[in-house]
Amino acid sequence: MARLAQTAGLTETQQEIVNAVREFVDKEIIPTATELEHRDEYPEAIVDQMKEMGLFGLTIPEEYGGLGESLLTYALVVEQIARGWMSVSGVINTHFIVAYMIAQHGTDEQKRHFLPQMAAGEIRGGFSMSEPGCGSDVAAIKSKAVADGDDFVLNGSKMWLTNGARAGVVATLVRTEEGADSVYRNMTTFLVEKEPGFGQPAPGLTIPGKIDKMGYKGVETTEMVMDGLRVPATSVLGGADGRGRGFYQMMDGVEVGRVNVAARGCGVMLRAFELAISYAQQRQTFGKRIADHQAIAFKLAEMATKIEAAHLMMVNAARLKDSGQRNDVEAGMAKYLASEYCFEVTQEAFRIHGGYGYSKEYEIERLMREAPFLLIGEGTSEIQKTIISRGLLREYKLHG
């Protein structure tokens, strides 16, 4: 058992799940990840095995066919999967967020309809909040839904959908309630159902194609264009009571997503450290292993310390959410620290590899292209600092 990124106080079931996933990652993901990533190939065989392991239903309540596990368990699973290949964690990330949102905010009918299929991996979840011109500025969303009898008609473009093609249901945030007392109360989340695939998977809905990316390959990232997309009123997350509540529902999901990104950061830097400390004990310069040079030994010590700090913050944020407490500040801190440290640790691992780190034959080359994504996914570091500082000012507000 490796020393780093261990978690105290796990139940026997949690430990068994994490151990099983770690073994799966070592045997099935790490040996094939770099080859698949270089081909930008979707990991079909790996995803099928994840279905068989029940990972798509990890956090879905048992009454709907899931395992009913906590956010902490989910985060520890994501950490291990990202250690193998971050793109595979992307396959389940948005799926988990949408399943969480339906379980927390959906009507009984929505839960019965979606959650059993999602638990079995029969349909995947997609999460759609960002747009071409707004990014983290959610108040600037332009996509709109207009009531038409018992239906709504949706128009607008959404951006950066992970699982955009393969998703069977996409939680989509659009404007609805003009004239609300707050800009954040005029948005509604719709559960948009569609067939998997590119092109026009539903009337009025287009998934144009895969966005070509520097890293985070294998899993598709897409745009979604709604042009007269007609959906029933029953597709509003939470039913009639969900109208105008979309922003708050999405932010609840984003808190889960930020814990996820923190977990991914922990996984990627853990793998970068493993590669670095292994290479440092094999490579020799000036008559001794480079691990025996103080310059390299100190790098390893700093890398390990950053991994431990980020892991502990991620675990704390997950446990807060599991306890029912607000964790926006803690999730922001965990995401901020883990993504920044991941970038730093991966860079140091790259430097330790020297010229070989630049070769596509070495795994660290792939990690160098994956780590930057975490700096911007689920909100940039600057957005996290904004969230953290607002929470602190609220908590430490001066009186009198």
Side-chain angles (χ1 to χ4, degrees):
M1 179 70 71
R3 183 186 188 94
L4 296 181
Q6 297 303 302
T7 310
L10 297 182
T11 66
E12 186 176 337
T13 298
Q14 287 175 314
Q15 195 63 65
E16 287 175 356
I17 291 171
V18 173
N19 290 344
V21 173
R22 183 188 295 114
E23 184 178 348
F24 169 67
V25 167
D26 288 340
K27 289 184 177 179
E28 305 296 337
I29 298 183
I30 289 176
T32 60
T34 297
E35 182 181 350
L36 290 172
E37 197 270 351
H38 286 166
R39 295 202 303 260
D40 199 4
E41 182 177 324
Y42 189 80
E44 293 282 5
I46 292 171
V47 171
D48 286 342
Q49 290 178 79
M50 287 164 58
K51 280 188 195 176
E52 292 177 13
M53 293 172 71
L55 294 185
F56 282 93
L58 184 65
T59 60
I60 293 174
E62 292 182 44
E63 62 185 296
Y64 300 107
L67 298 179
E69 275 296 327
S70 64
L71 176 59
L72 175 60
T73 309
Y74 151 75
L76 296 176
V77 164
V78 166
E79 181 180 48
Q80 287 302 318
I81 292 175
R83 175 179 150 266
W85 182 14
M86 192 179 74
S87 292
V88 178
S89 68
V91 173
I92 56 176
N93 175 36
T94 53
H95 178 86
F96 279 150
I97 293 174
V98 176
Y100 170 82
M101 289 171 64
I102 293 172
Q104 291 293 114
H105 306 287
T107 64
D108 290 340
E109 178 54 36
Q110 287 168 344
K111 293 174 188 178
R112 288 193 297 268
H113 176 66
F114 288 111
L115 293 182
Q117 297 179 79
M118 295 180 78
E122 294 169 2
I123 63 169
R124 314 269 171 78
F127 183 82
S128 178
M129 184 167 65
S130 185
E131 294 187 359
C134 75
S136 295
D137 184 8
V138 182
I141 282 177
K142 291 185 173 68
S143 296
K144 187 175 291 188
V146 177
D148 184 14
D150 292 332
D151 297 337
F152 283 87
V153 178
L154 278 59
N155 288 283
S157 294
K158 308 299 283 188
M159 198 68 177
W160 308 118
L161 276 74
T162 303
N163 290 330
R166 286 175 171 81
V169 56
V170 182
T172 307
L173 185 66
V174 298
R175 287 179 173 271
T176 48
E177 315 295 331
E178 297 296 342
D181 59 350
S182 165
V183 66
Y184 299 111
R185 294 186 185 278
N186 68 0
M187 299 181 194
T188 298
T189 300
F190 287 84
L191 299 173
V192 175
E193 294 188 75
K194 69 177 187 65
E195 290 298 319
F198 293 101
Q200 287 194 310
L205 182 69
T206 302
I207 305 292
K210 215 163 49 165
I211 297 170
D212 196 17
K213 310 183 294 290
M214 176 178 76
Y216 198 35
K217 294 179 180 290
V219 59
E220 82 274 7
T221 305
T222 74
E223 187 180 1
M224 184 173 77
V225 180
M226 301 174 289
D227 184 11
L229 172 63
R230 184 174 291 272
V231 297
T234 53
S235 66
V236 172
L237 179 60
D241 292 339
R243 285 189 61 169
R245 295 287 305 165
F247 172 79
Y248 304 99
Q249 294 165 344
M250 281 278 180
M251 289 303 103
D252 190 23
V254 164
E255 286 183 11
V256 171
R258 286 180 177 145
V259 172
N260 167 279
V261 174
R264 286 203 239 182
C266 291
V268 171
M269 66 174 136
L270 184 57
R271 183 59 183 162
F273 173 82
E274 290 172 350
L275 295 171
I277 199 167
S278 174
Y279 184 81
Q281 294 174 83
Q282 298 172 52
R283 178 82 165 103
Q284 291 202 355
T285 62
F286 305 105
K288 60 182 178 181
R289 304 178 310 171
I290 63 172
D292 295 325
H293 293 288
Q294 191 179 69
I296 301 300
F298 280 11
K299 283 183 186 292
L300 294 171
E302 291 167 3
M303 292 159 71
T305 302
K306 289 176 179 179
I307 290 168
E308 282 293 273
H311 176 82
L312 289 169
M313 290 192 75
M314 178 270 289
V315 168
N316 179 59
R319 282 181 161 148
L320 272 175
K321 189 78 169 175
D322 283 332
S323 70
Q325 298 181 64
R326 185 171 182 172
N327 82 333
D328 55 337
V329 170
E330 290 75 13
M333 286 178 169
K335 191 275 175 186
Y336 164 56
L337 194 80
S339 61
E340 293 286 348
Y341 276 179
C342 177
F343 189 71
E344 293 171 13
V345 167
T346 304
Q347 275 201 330
E348 292 292 9
F350 171 77
R351 292 183 182 202
I352 287 171
H353 279 77
Y356 289 106
Y358 212 64
S359 168
K360 286 196 170 186
E361 293 182 20
Y362 282 72
E363 192 177 339
I364 190 63
E365 180 270 343
R366 169 171 60 83
L367 301 186
M368 274 293 292
R369 290 183 289 104
E370 291 179 343
F373 167 78
L374 299 171
L375 295 171
I376 54 176
E378 301 291 357
T380 62
S381 291
E382 289 69 30
I383 288 293
Q384 306 312 317
K385 291 176 187 178
T386 300
I387 292 166
I388 294 164
S389 61
R390 284 176 180 171
L392 293 174
L393 288 167
R394 184 177 61 242
E395 187 74 19
Y396 289 88
K397 185 176 180 179
L398 290 178
H399 298 283

